[in-house]
Each structure stands twice: as structure tokens, then as C-alpha cells.
Amino acid sequence: MEENKILKRSEVAEEYTWNLKDLYETPEDWDKDAEKVDGICEEIEAFKGHLGDSGAKLLDWFKKADDLDVFIGKLYGYSSLAADVDLTNSVNQARRGKAVGLLTKISSAASFSDAEIMEISNEKLDQFYKEEPGLEAYRRALDKIRHMKEHTLSAAEEKLLASAGEMSEGAENIGSVFRDADLKFPEVTDKDGKSHRLTQGTYIPMLESNDRTLRENAFKTFYKTWKEHEGLSAAILDAHYKQQTFFSRSRKYASNIERSLDRTEVPTSVYYNLIDSVHRHMGSMHRYMDLRKKLMGLDELHMYDIYSSMVADADEKITFEEAKEIVYEALKPLGEDYLKVVHEAYENRWLDVYENEGKRSGAYSSGAGSRPHPYILLNHKDTLNSMFTLIHETGHTMHSYLSIQNQPVAYSDYVIFVAEVASTCNEVLLMRHLLSKTEDKKKRAYLINYFLEQFRTTLYRQTMFAEFELRLNEIVERGETLTAEELNKEYYALNKLYYGDNMVVDEEIGSEWARIPHFYYNYYVYQYATSFAAAITLASGILKEGQSAVDRYLKFLSSGCSTDPISLLKIAGVDMSSPAVIDSALDVFEGLLDEMEELSK
């Protein structure tokens, strides 16, 4: 594609767009499925009041729930994927809105099920297992539901909460449209006076530029624009956290963090251990900033200097086609069967590659719901960072695909605590591959700089986000309101803590919270950090130990949610209940700093 040109959706070559015909051949086929929802709700209603009748009836319900999961995943997946590639397309936005309403309708109709299952006595359920051996396949699903008994309300109350599902997504959806479609930025100039178009997608590449004038102008213009709308951003975020608090209290949880982590079977101690471990190693982050300032030859290190390479002129352009070939090589340690599926994904349009006007920013893999396979959204630039994004999202996709292939529907979608492990392990494998292929000191230093940045942006920065999110929840749970002033103050203070006193923490960074969509994801971001730490351990094992470590890892990828996430990671060889995993990963960071300092001499 022509460099820096952002195309209209209709101008993007088909080979770089995903093929949604794997879900529905035409939008009209989607409409036909949407029309089935009333009939499906009637089928659901027929089970109401009868789940405790017999083991056979309970088994029929779980089979119906499996069918519903597949139907819902397909219906919502198609509408959401179509909407995300052009947020200005009102037809696709309307279809996604309709899908949310239909899913809420189904959810409301099925809301009786958990309460009924919890009312079945232990003795009666044991008898059901004896009467109906097929029910054994759903024992874990039943145990998880019954575990939630103290947080489950009456059937009428559950139906009311389910009906509020559509409204509960309002703040996040409004924030997404505002950030990705409505918010526009002025053009910025570089050191030669040349103008550049500033967008959500071009902002980080500009900060990665060697042109400091462009970096500073992009940084200040970007956050000046956000600050002009900070009252709106704060109100949207406040509405989101208030509705989270409402749901937590409705379900008798002491806090939002308790509710969020309980749903994924992760002890809250894991969250606090992460923050504590990172705080113990904060001096290493400050040392890294000191090294960056020295290598960049700056009198003052500013926030707009921390994305640019410390090693001048060592970065290179990597086209999408080149990135794919390098990714294939990096993933060879995982075996031919793994690579075969990756090749199918890349060559059969499971990916939507380039930024276009109105396209959602960032990147994601659509997950197990989008059967027969996940989809990958990218906003690819010809950079090293984009290649890492490609292999990252490929890891998610392979995790989802292998779980779909090896687990029944009820256990095919893994929880978010393990979601980032496969993606980040892929990134580490790519970095190790690149480092193994170069002896040139300058290029090696460039790669180590990138690896150090992965630690900064994933382990340190995501932990900073996690700490910020924890503070926001605590503020709202005290009955206070999130104002722009309070948000700026809290966010700026955390940046000062994490980056240290030896660099200039520019005032503008206080507004960064407004652009981060993950603050709407409810205790999600900490898992980037824990997963990165786990991935460092897993990748090292794969490269050192070979096939036995690969076998354990692939078993983990194929396990979906067949057991709790801490146990799943133990299958792969990592114990995340201990802070030792975080500490060990940060020891690697310190070792990389040592090597970088030696190379810099």
C-alpha cells in the first residue's frame, strides 16, 4: 500500500480484508438467522421450571446451551466484525446494535437456568449423574454455576439484570464510537515543516520516529485534542464504573475486583502480588529510563521520547509479506501442525490487515465464538512493532482454534487470565528468533531495546494501568464521582512513580487515560503483565527443552477452560499463584539492561 495513505474501505484490496462469508454468505443470511430469535426464545421457555425434573432434561438443556453459544457467537461475531472495519457505516452499526438487542433477548429468556440449577440438591444431582452418564461431560460447568450460588439472585431478579445487559454496554460503546469515529486530530508537522495526518493509528508510529520535532508535535497535539474533550471522556468512564459497581453490589460482592476475578477463578492475591512485585523492581524501570536518556544523547528525556529507538538508524521497514515469512520461521519450534493452521489463517483471509477510514483502532483476535475459526483485526504499518502485533494476534487465534478443535463447546472458550499467554509467548519466540539471527552489535542493540520496550509497555505499563484501574474502582465504590481533574491527577501521579524523577513527565500525559479502551474491560489489563511473565518462562522452556515442553504447551492451548486457569498454566509448566514468576521475568529485564549497557560502550 502507498505509505501514509489511509484508504476508504471500498479502496482496500480484497486480499487484505477478512472473508466473513465463512460466517454468513450474505447479510441476508444473517437477517434470516436474526428472525429465528423469537422461536429460539420459545424453545428456551419450554425448559423453564423443568431443569430439576431429571438428568435427561438437564442434559438436554446443556446441549441446547451449546447450540445457543454457537448461534450467538456467529450472529454477534458477524455483525461486530462487519461494524469494526468501518464505524461510519450506519447499516453495519445498526446490525450490530440489533445483534446486541437479540442477544439480550436470548440472555433474558435463559436467565432462569442458573437459579434453577442451584436449587437442585446435591443428593438429587448425584442421582442425575447416575441416571444420565452423558451429564458427566458437564460436571465442571455445573460446579462453576453452583459455586456462584451466593451471588445469584431470584429468577425474577436475574431476568431483570439480564434485561439490563444492553444498557450496561452503553458507556463502552459510546466511548468506542467517540474515540474511533468522531474524534478528529489536526495535522502535525515534522522538522522540515512537512504535514502529517494524525490519527489513532498513526500516533504511535509518529512517536517511534527519529524526528524529535514530529514526536513532540504529535504528542502535544494529540493530548491537547483529548484534553478539549476530557469532561465527556470522564463522564463516560464514570458511567461505566458506576454500572460495574451496581452489578457487583447486586450480586453481593464486596468489590468490583472480587466480582471480576471470581468469574475467572483467579484469586485477588494474584493481582496484588503483581503490583507489589513490580514496585519492588521499580528501580530497574528508572535505570532503563536513565540508559535511554544517555543513549539518545538528550539533556532531558520527555514522554514523547520513550517510544523511539535508542539505537539510531537501526530500525527497518518490514512489509506485511515479509513479516509473515519471519513469523513462520519464528514459530517453527512449535511444530508443523501449528504452522499449517497459521498458514491457512494468513492465506485464506482470516485477517483484516490495513487501517482504513473509520476502522476500529488497535488489533484483536475475535476468539472462539467466531466459528469455524477466529478472525484477526490489524491496523498494520510496515514496522517491527506491527510484525510483533501480527504474531501476538496469531497466538490468540491459535489458542482459540486449538481449543475449538479439542474441547466440547462448553469448554472451548478460555478465560481472560490465560488469554494473553499464547499471544505473548509468540512474541517472545519472535524476539529470540531475531536475536539468534544477528551478531551485528548495532542491530542486536536495537532488538534488545525493543525487548526492553516489551517489558516497559507490557509488564510495567500494564501494571500501571492495573493500578490506575484499581484506584478508579475504589473511588467509585466510595460513592465519589470520576472527574477529569481527579483522573488527570491520579494518572499523572502514577506516571511519576513508574518513570521516576530523572525524566520529564510532561503534564499532557495526565490525559492519556481518556484514549485507553482497556479501562472499560473490567480488570483485564493486569493479565497482559502476568501473561508476559508466564510467556517468558514458557518460551525459554520451548527453546531449551524442545518437544516435551512443546507438548505441554500445546496441551495447554488445546484445553480451553476445562479446568481453572491456575491449573491450566501448571499443565504448561508455570505456577502463577506465586509472585516468583513475576520476579523471575523482571530478573530477565535486568539482565537485558546489563547487556544493553555493555553494548552501549
Side-chain angles (χ1 to χ4, degrees), residues 85-147:
V85 294
D86 188 357
L87 294 169
T88 66
N89 185 312
S90 59
V91 173
N92 288 339
Q93 295 304 313
R95 184 173 286 113
R96 173 156 59 185
K98 182 177 181 179
V100 171
L102 293 174
L103 301 195
T104 299
K105 192 172 186 177
I106 292 173
S107 177
S108 179
S111 62
F112 66 87
S113 62
D114 285 2
E116 284 195 25
I117 288 170
M118 290 175 194
E119 290 303 314
I120 301 172
S121 69
N122 291 336
E123 293 76 17
K124 192 174 187 179
L125 187 59
D126 287 340
Q127 186 61 38
F128 284 178
Y129 284 126
K130 293 175 183 177
E131 294 172 359
E132 187 54 70
L135 195 60
E136 189 66 42
Y138 296 97
R139 182 181 285 272
R140 170 161 164 75
L142 279 160
D143 287 346
K144 286 183 68 177
I145 291 170
R146 292 166 72 81
H147 165 74

Side-chain angles (χ1 to χ4, degrees), residues 321-337:
E321 299 302 326
E322 291 169 339
K324 288 194 299 183
E325 294 304 317
I326 296 170
V327 165
Y328 289 142
E329 289 295 316
L331 295 178
K332 276 186 176 179
L334 296 179
E336 288 300 318
D337 290 343

